[in-house]
Amino acid sequence: MITLYGMPDSGNCYKPRLLCALTGRAFRHVQVSMLDGGTRTPGYLAMNPNGKVPLLRTGDGRFLPESNAILTFLGEGTRFMPDDAFTRAEMFAWMFFEQYSHEPTVAVRRSLMIYPDLAADATAERLAETLEGGGKALAVMEGRLAQAEWLAGDAPSLADLCLYAYTHVAPEGGFELDAYPNLTVWLERVAGLTGFRPMDWLPDD
Ligand SMILES: N[C@@H](CCC(=O)N[C@@H](CS)C(=O)NCC(=O)O)C(=O)O
């Protein structure tokens, strides 16, 4: 069986858990947190030298870091990996957008606001630049979702799961989602997928 190492309230860690829930794949969950130094222990660094979660351990003992790489590996052969080459590339475009434009703004602003340990980094300048950048990223999503039900092609893909993770908790980072009506309906659409589980869901031991 696969193992996911992660923090329950991290969007990056939620992405592969959500995919497993939606595809009915069993997994073990091992809680590792950046807040108590868990990602910096010698044992964890031996598995992921970059010292971040999530991390996947495959059934045969190989390790794979990076949430979107894990999604791609676990998504192979599922309904969330488009068959058509162009649609698949569009899906990857959204996943790269997530890592470069959305996560560093929407997710980082949320972290600055919810984790007391990061309060010292939450300067007025940092909060202003992440608010502006996050607003731009959400507007890009709103533009797509005003014209289509899903981010890539005409069916749910890994891109929707990837971007759902931090978008649905964006209000915790001070982003007002009422300004993005099509995005708000899309959040409900993702949450309505069969097998959906919320961010705080963890498998039974
Ligand atoms: N690009 C990585 C980012 C992972 C990441 O930043 N994880 C955070 C938790 S959300 C972490 O482990 N931070 C620990 C640290 O930076 O020391 C991914 O998508 O998996």
Side-chain angles (χ1 to χ4, degrees):
M1 191 190 302
I2 63 166
T3 303
L4 289 169
Y5 298 81
M7 291 165 62
D9 62 354
S10 148
N12 283 321
C13 298
Y14 176 41
K15 295 174 199 175
R17 287 201 310 274
L18 176 57
L19 175 61
C20 286
L22 291 168
T23 55
R25 184 193 283 263
F27 64 99
R28 281 179 60 232
H29 186 264
V30 176
Q31 201 156 318
V32 176
S33 175
M34 65 175 183
L35 299 172
D36 62 6
T39 52
R40 298 277 152 201
T41 64
Y44 190 75
L45 290 171
M47 298 189 290
N48 181 7
N50 200 27
K52 293 183 191 295
V53 282
L55 176 69
L56 168 73
R57 184 183 190 276
T58 63
D60 59 6
R62 292 174 292 171
F63 292 101
L64 183 65
E66 293 294 332
S67 59
N68 291 350
I70 298 170
L71 280 184
T72 304
F73 177 69
L74 297 180
E76 191 70 36
T78 73
R79 64 183 287 224
F80 298 103
M81 179 70 84
D83 291 331
D84 173 69
F86 187 79
T87 308
R88 200 163 55 240
E90 278 187 321
M91 177 192 80
F92 285 126
W94 281 110
M95 292 166 78
F96 295 137
F97 159 86
E98 189 265 349
Q99 287 283 289
Y100 197 77
S101 300
H102 186 283
E103 199 260 15
T105 54
V106 176
V108 167
R109 196 170 204 278
R110 170 179 176 262
S111 295
L112 293 173
M113 292 183 68
I114 69 169
Y115 296 127
D117 289 9
L118 302 184
D121 297 330
T123 60
E125 188 184 8
R126 192 93 182 90
L127 290 173
E129 74 188 14
T130 50
L131 186 64
E132 186 188 352
K136 280 186 190 160
L138 295 171
V140 170
M141 293 176 69
E142 174 68 14
R144 163 69 185 180
L145 294 165
Q147 304 187 11
E149 291 197 348
W150 303 103
L151 290 172
D154 57 8
S157 72
L158 299 179
D160 297 286
L161 312 188
C162 167
L163 275 149
Y164 179 83
Y166 280 117
T167 304
H168 86 291
V169 288
E172 295 176 13
F175 295 96
E176 185 49 71
L177 292 187
D178 289 350
Y180 311 97
N182 293 286
L183 181 149
T184 302
V185 173
W186 166 81
L187 288 175
E188 291 166 9
R189 206 173 283 134
V190 175
L193 290 170
T194 304
F196 175 87
R197 293 285 182 277
M199 187 146 142
D200 60 3
W201 170 77
L202 295 173
D204 297 331
D205 285 335

